Amino acid sequence: MFSSSRILALNVGASKIVLAEFSVKSGRPPELVNYGTADLGVDPDSETVLGPLIAPAIREVMKARGIRPAPLMLALSGQVVFPRFVRLPAVGRDKLMQMVQYEVEQNVPFPIDEIVWNHQFIGDDASGEQSAMIVAAKIDSVREITDCVSAAGLEPEVVDVAPMALYNCLRYNYGNLGGCSVLLDIGARSTNLIFVEDEKIYSRCI
């Protein structure tokens, strides 16, 4: 996916940022080689605007851990996104994409021109249905964070949402899980709760 032999992953939370560096070699799983955190110095329950604090915190971690710029994967908090799990009939690709967009227009509580959205198909359509997870966020909320990351000298190649990043990590590392599994990501202000069972997924930010 990337020509670089290194990638960075950044998670921006309500009270701290976490930056991880991975070595990427062809034919081998990514290997964690460096990791650091920095407190944002705010009370998670306060209404403090985090934007001005993010870039200095990133630079602090990079300097302390000796992390150089590389392609960046950015994970957004579940608080800033609107998730929806849908089951769709197994139809052609073009029709399927039209149905996904219809679900976004009908279920996301913001005007379509004020949001950025994406989807991920889950499993296959062997059962006669196609499952998909749709996530949407307000453009201004995403831009506020990406601008801060850019100010720290990093350019996000991928912007993901924390719940789906956790889901994909689970599937990547434990592909043969049976029954129902629960992922619990406890943060300073909110908790991501993710239920995974076969080809079904339920995500809630509490």
Side-chain angles (χ1 to χ4, degrees):
M1 182 178 179
F2 300 102
S3 58
S4 175
S5 61
R6 300 164 49 251
I7 60 172
L8 305 180
L10 174 66
N11 183 34
V12 178
S15 66
K16 69 178 181 181
I17 61 110
V18 180
L19 183 65
E21 179 181 12
F22 293 86
S23 171
V24 182
K25 297 180 181 178
S26 179
R28 297 179 59 183
E31 178 184 357
L32 178 65
V33 295
N34 209 338
Y35 175 91
T37 68
D39 289 332
L40 295 175
V42 297
D43 180 350
D45 293 327
S46 72
E47 297 301 320
T48 303
V49 177
L50 297 180
L53 307 173
I54 293 174
I58 294 173
R59 287 193 288 264
E60 176 187 328
V61 173
M62 294 179 70
K63 181 178 179 180
R65 301 297 303 174
I67 298 175
R68 294 175 290 107
L72 178 70
M73 318 292 108
L74 173 62
L76 300 179
S77 166
Q79 278 190 301
V80 302
V81 299
F82 179 86
R84 179 168 175 80
F85 177 79
V86 296
R87 299 185 72 88
L88 306 168
V91 295
R93 180 78 178 181
D94 291 344
K95 183 66 174 178
L96 199 59
M97 293 305 300
Q98 291 176 13
M99 297 175 73
V100 168
Q101 180 156 350
Y102 175 80
E103 290 288 340
V104 173
E105 293 171 347
Q106 293 299 307
N107 292 289
V108 176
F110 308 114
I112 195 71
D113 61 346
E114 294 181 8
I115 65 169
V116 57
W117 65 272
N118 211 329
H119 69 284
Q120 178 176 323
F121 291 123
I122 299 171
D124 54 39
D125 57 6
S127 64
E129 290 184 314
Q130 176 68 69
S131 301
M133 175 59 79
I134 299 169
V135 291
K138 298 198 74 171
I139 293 173
D140 290 345
S141 299
V142 176
R143 185 171 292 145
E144 178 184 0
I145 298 175
T146 56
D147 286 351
C148 295
V149 172
S150 297
L154 300 175
E155 290 298 329
E157 299 274 349
V158 173
V159 178
D160 204 346
V161 293
M164 287 309 296
L166 287 169
Y167 168 80
N168 288 325
C169 185
L170 178 75
R171 286 298 193 192
Y172 181 85
N173 288 285
Y174 306 98
N176 297 319
L177 278 178
C180 182
S181 300
V182 179
L183 279 170
L184 194 62
D185 178 26
I186 302 174
R189 179 182 288 177
S190 62
T191 293
N192 289 317
L193 183 66
I194 305 146
F195 290 92
V196 180
E197 184 175 11
D198 300 324
E199 303 304 333
K200 298 188 288 291
I201 176 176
Y202 172 80
S203 175
R204 177 83 179 271
C205 181
I206 303 171

